[in-house]
């Protein structure tokens, strides 16, 4: 595709044409991975939303199928919005999703596979009882802020639980429902969790992680060896935040650990374009995998010209860090199958202002690993106490601004004469007896096209560079 469609990616998930957004209902069934996603079959901007469907045996190569869920009954006639799959104890997958009804209210619907012996689960049947959860006068649910059901989990009392994203005024909510049979759902008196001033919580995700080890867990797992993670996608800022905490199943409430919050200083999976993410438990390889949507950076006119908009990020395995204070993610190991020719650079001393070209690779499709050793920490510049916003700092101290320890990193997708490039780099600062590491992705020179979004992204990285080497892995794909 490189000749006629130079901007399509080489190995990210994207359909041949049209608009895509959120990943939906990821699951594994009979050894086959399923990915559904929000899709406009008729155009390149958001609208006419259905659940498009693809399957894979390796999370890398995908086979498209017909749309799995599309408007067909009053409870979803104006759109089939985001939702999640749950694997029942019998092994049967079911899907809960948000439908938009004739009054444009958001309601929750259930669908199950028509034929369980089809490993591709190509046809889905909606239950006649839909909608199973709906806003009413009595339950005080905001009909335009009630969407994106999670994977359900089973308590020791044999009742299912699910949360749905919502808000009340500007308080973000994870509304909790319970059910004995997956068909009759009763709203709990209290939300599982809520946080003031965070606005609408889109695409909540709630799952257990092991305290010891990198293995993933089924969503119904709980106990002393487990912590829980709650993620919300904040509609106000289009940023996602997660907290780590404890799920008290007797009271059915989730309590984030001290210092764990949903906004500004909170934890994030990603500091770039990444939204409406969702995890699932891969029972075949005992891992939890994270999918997320990457919104397009070109303008609507640009999207119309290209014929498509949006892609899914490379799936990542995720687990709890040894500290218990943040999650760790790594691209699924399967992506390494795509590595072709290997090019190794001997280690070298990087002098200030120097650039080394990596020759012998296809720069448009590469998987790069670099390790940096730092010799002279003393010269690190002092971090001004007012530099608290890493993204802003990355913008102010962009790749061309000289520092004392940094910028050092990678020019990605650099064109001849460095007319276009994206600089991914570190800077190290000194701040009262410790070192602070900043990681930036400077997009300001990433395109000569003025209509493209070229926001620079960045974050402080929680490592002590005195004790650990800094490394960088970059998956580059055009
Ligand atoms: C998030 C979102 C969801 C909604 C879906 C509609 O990007 O707005 O809240 O279900 O997209 O396509």
């Amino acid at each position: 595709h490189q000749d006629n469609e130079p901007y399509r990616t080489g190995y990210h998930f994207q359909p041949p044409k049209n608009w895509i957004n959120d990943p939906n209902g990821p699951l594994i069934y009979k050894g086959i991975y399923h990915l559904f996603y929000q899709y406009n079959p008729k155009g390149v901007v958001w609208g006419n939303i259905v659940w498009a469907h693809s399957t894979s045996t390796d999370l890398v190569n995908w086979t498209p199928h017909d749309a799995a869920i599309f408007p067909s009954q009053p409870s979803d006639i104006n759109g089939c919005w985001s939702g999640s799959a749950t694997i029942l104890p019998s092994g049967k997958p079911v899907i809960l999703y948000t439908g938009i009804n004739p009054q444009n209210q958001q309601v929750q619907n259930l669908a199950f596979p028509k034929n369980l012996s089809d490993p591709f689960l190509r046809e889905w049947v909606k239950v006649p009882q839909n909608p199973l959860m709906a806003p009413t006068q009595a339950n005080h649910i905001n009909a335009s802020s009630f969407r994106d059901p999670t994977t359900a989990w089973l308590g020791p009392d044999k009742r299912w639980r699910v949360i749905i994203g919502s808000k009340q005024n500007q308080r973000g909510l994870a509304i909790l429902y319970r059910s004995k049979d997956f068909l009759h759902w009763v709203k709990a008196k209290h939300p599982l969790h809520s946080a003031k001033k965070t606005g609408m919580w889109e695409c909540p995700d709630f799952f257990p992680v092991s305290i010891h080890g990198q293995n993933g867990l089924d969503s119904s797992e709980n106990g002393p060896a487990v912590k829980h993670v709650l993620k919300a996608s904040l509609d106000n800022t289009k940023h996602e935040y997660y907290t780590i905490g404890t799920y008290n199943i007797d009271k059915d409430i989730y309590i984030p650990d001290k210092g764990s919050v949903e906004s500004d200083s909170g934890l994030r999976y990603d500091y770039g374009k990444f939204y409406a993410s969702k995890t699932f438990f891969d029972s075949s390889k005992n891992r939890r995998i994270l999918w997320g949507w990457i919104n397009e950076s070109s303008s609507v006119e640009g999207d119309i010209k290209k014929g498509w908009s949006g892609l899914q990020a490379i799936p990542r395995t995720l687990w709890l860090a040894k500290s218990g204070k943040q999650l760790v993610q790594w691209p699924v190991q399967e992506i390494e199958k795509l590595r072709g020719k290997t090019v190794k650079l001997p280690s070298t001393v990087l002098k200030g202002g120097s650039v080394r070209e990596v020759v012998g690779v296809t720069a448009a499709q590469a998987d790069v690993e670099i390790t940096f050793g730092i010799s002279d920490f003393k010269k690190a510049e002092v971090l001004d106490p007012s530099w608290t916003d890493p993204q802003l700092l990355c913008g102010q101290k962009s790749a061309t601004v000289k520092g004392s320890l940094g910028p050092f990193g990678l020019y990605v997708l650099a064109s001849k004469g460095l007319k276009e490039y994206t600089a991914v780099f570190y800077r190290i600062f000194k701040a009262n007896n410790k070192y602070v590491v900043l990681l930036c992705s400077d997009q300001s020179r990433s395109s000569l096209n003025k209509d493209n979004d070229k926001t620079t992204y960045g974050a402080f990285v929680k490592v002590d560079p005195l004790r650990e080497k800094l490394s960088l892995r970059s998956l580059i794909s055009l």
Side-chain angles (χ1 to χ4, degrees):
H1 62 251
Q2 287 303 323
D3 296 334
N4 45 10
E5 295 189 284
Y7 298 116
R8 279 184 74 78
T9 60
Y11 53 84
H12 285 72
F13 181 96
Q14 39 178 178
K17 59 174 190 183
N18 294 337
W19 166 272
I20 79 168
N21 56 295
D22 316 358
N24 290 154
L27 66 92
I28 180 165
Y29 180 68
K30 291 188 192 282
I32 293 180
Y33 294 102
H34 291 251
L35 177 66
F36 307 87
Y37 55 96
Q38 297 280 285
Y39 180 65
N40 180 356
K42 294 183 190 154
V44 86
V45 294
W46 184 90
N48 315 304
I49 294 293
V50 304
W51 279 45
H53 182 201
S54 288
T55 56
S56 169
T57 52
D58 60 7
L59 295 164
V60 175
N61 300 289
W62 293 89
T63 306
H65 302 291
D66 290 345
I69 299 176
F70 44 86
S72 71
Q73 53 174 222
S75 65
D76 67 11
I77 203 66
N78 284 324
C80 296
W81 289 13
S82 287
S84 307
T86 303
I87 310 286
L88 301 181
S90 62
K92 171 178 164 172
V94 295
I95 283 173
L96 280 171
Y97 69 98
T98 299
I100 309 299
N101 76 9
Q103 292 79 44
N104 281 325
Q105 292 177 314
Q106 299 173 4
V107 301
Q108 318 312 322
N109 299 318
L110 180 67
F112 58 86
K114 187 168 184 183
N115 176 6
L116 284 172
S117 57
D118 171 18
F120 301 114
L121 302 171
R122 278 170 288 205
E123 284 182 85
W124 290 75
V125 181
K126 297 168 190 173
V127 301
Q129 291 91 336
N130 283 337
L132 305 184
M133 301 165 231
T136 61
Q137 293 254 296
N139 65 23
H140 302 294
I141 293 172
N142 184 337
S144 55
S145 303
F146 180 51
R147 58 183 182 270
D148 311 339
T150 59
T151 295
W153 67 95
L154 198 54
D157 57 0
K158 300 270 154 63
R159 283 189 298 173
W160 289 99
R161 277 110 172 131
V162 72
I163 54 172
I164 293 128
S166 188
K167 69 171 177 188
Q168 219 162 49
N169 303 316
Q170 275 309 305
R171 177 177 279 275
L173 296 180
I175 296 181
L176 179 71
Y177 272 80
R178 298 191 194 92
S179 172
K180 285 189 183 135
D181 59 2
F182 231 94
L183 268 178
H184 302 90
W185 290 90
V186 180
K187 182 175 169 285
K189 278 216 183 76
H190 304 283
L192 181 77
H193 187 56
S194 72
K196 60 183 180 204
K197 292 192 194 145
T198 50
M200 172 63 189
W201 286 6
E202 296 190 305
C203 301
D205 196 16
F206 183 61
F207 55 90
V209 285
S210 309
I211 293 181
H212 310 286
Q214 304 183 356
N215 63 297
L217 297 169
D218 178 86
S219 293
S220 299
E221 224 43 79
N222 203 351
V226 162
K227 299 279 301 183
H228 272 79
V229 175
L230 178 64
K231 184 275 299 181
S233 306
L234 305 192
D235 196 18
N236 287 347
T237 56
K238 295 286 166 195
H239 286 167
E240 301 194 314
Y241 294 94
Y242 70 85
T243 57
I244 300 170
T246 305
Y247 171 39
N248 179 331
I249 187 123
D250 301 320
K251 294 198 180 127
D252 248 339
I253 51 166
Y254 165 77
I255 300 159
D257 291 349
K258 239 173 105 200
S260 218
V261 291
E262 280 81 7
S263 56
D264 290 348
S265 58
L267 295 163
R268 290 171 63 179
Y269 290 143
D270 198 294
Y271 293 81
K273 289 194 135 117
F274 190 86
Y275 195 69
S277 72
K278 186 176 297 299
T279 61
F280 76 103
F281 174 55
D282 174 4
S283 53
S284 80
K285 292 201 166 144
N286 272 305
R287 55 186 174 175
R288 185 162 283 271
I289 294 176
L290 172 69
W291 280 105
W293 165 49
I294 301 180
N295 191 8
E296 200 62 34
S297 288
S298 47
S299 62
V300 172
E301 294 72 46
D303 292 343
I304 292 170
K305 233 191 235 161
K306 292 185 306 195
W308 50 270
S309 178
L311 52 141
Q312 305 297 346
I314 301 292
R316 312 162 182 189
T317 306
L318 135 172
W319 63 90
L320 186 65
K322 281 212 183 85
S323 69
K325 292 195 169 131
Q326 63 179 356
L327 297 172
V328 183
Q329 306 158 62
W330 198 247
V332 291
Q333 105 217 1
E334 287 89 334
I335 207 76
E336 291 162 33
K337 286 201 309 194
L338 295 177
R339 290 177 173 182
K341 187 174 157 204
T342 309
V343 173
K344 276 204 173 106
L345 242 67
S347 56
T348 174
V349 176
L350 293 175
K351 288 213 193 78
S354 64
V355 179
R356 280 205 60 172
E357 190 180 338
V358 183
V359 288
V361 292
T362 307
Q365 277 180 31
D367 183 345
V368 186
E369 289 182 300
I370 321 174
T371 309
F372 299 100
I374 290 123
S375 55
D376 190 6
F377 277 99
K378 278 184 290 254
K379 65 179 184 196
E381 71 192 278
V382 175
L383 187 81
D384 188 301
S386 71
W387 298 344
T388 51
D389 181 334
Q391 181 170 340
L392 219 65
L393 188 54
C394 285
Q396 281 157 0
K397 291 180 174 293
S398 65
T400 50
V401 179
K402 255 190 156 175
S404 18
L405 264 189
F408 54 90
L410 195 64
Y411 281 146
V412 174
L413 294 171
S415 69
K416 278 236 162 60
L418 291 181
K419 285 207 178 68
E420 291 180 331
Y421 62 84
T422 301
V424 181
F425 61 88
Y426 284 110
R427 282 178 192 275
I428 299 178
F429 299 95
K430 210 177 341 196
N432 356 287
N433 291 330
K434 61 170 191 190
Y435 293 98
V436 173
V437 179
L438 179 72
L439 177 59
C440 303
S441 176
D442 176 0
Q443 325 269 332
S444 59
R445 310 269 183 109
S446 61
S447 172
L448 294 172
N449 185 335
K450 291 192 179 54
D451 299 334
N452 290 346
D453 172 14
K454 283 175 274 190
T455 308
T456 283
Y457 298 102
F460 291 118
V461 188
K462 281 195 194 94
V463 290
D464 176 359
L466 287 175
R467 294 178 47 205
E468 281 177 89
K469 277 197 168 168
L470 290 183
S471 60
L472 179 67
R473 170 126 184 248
S474 262
L475 296 177
I476 302 165
S477 157
L478 257 196

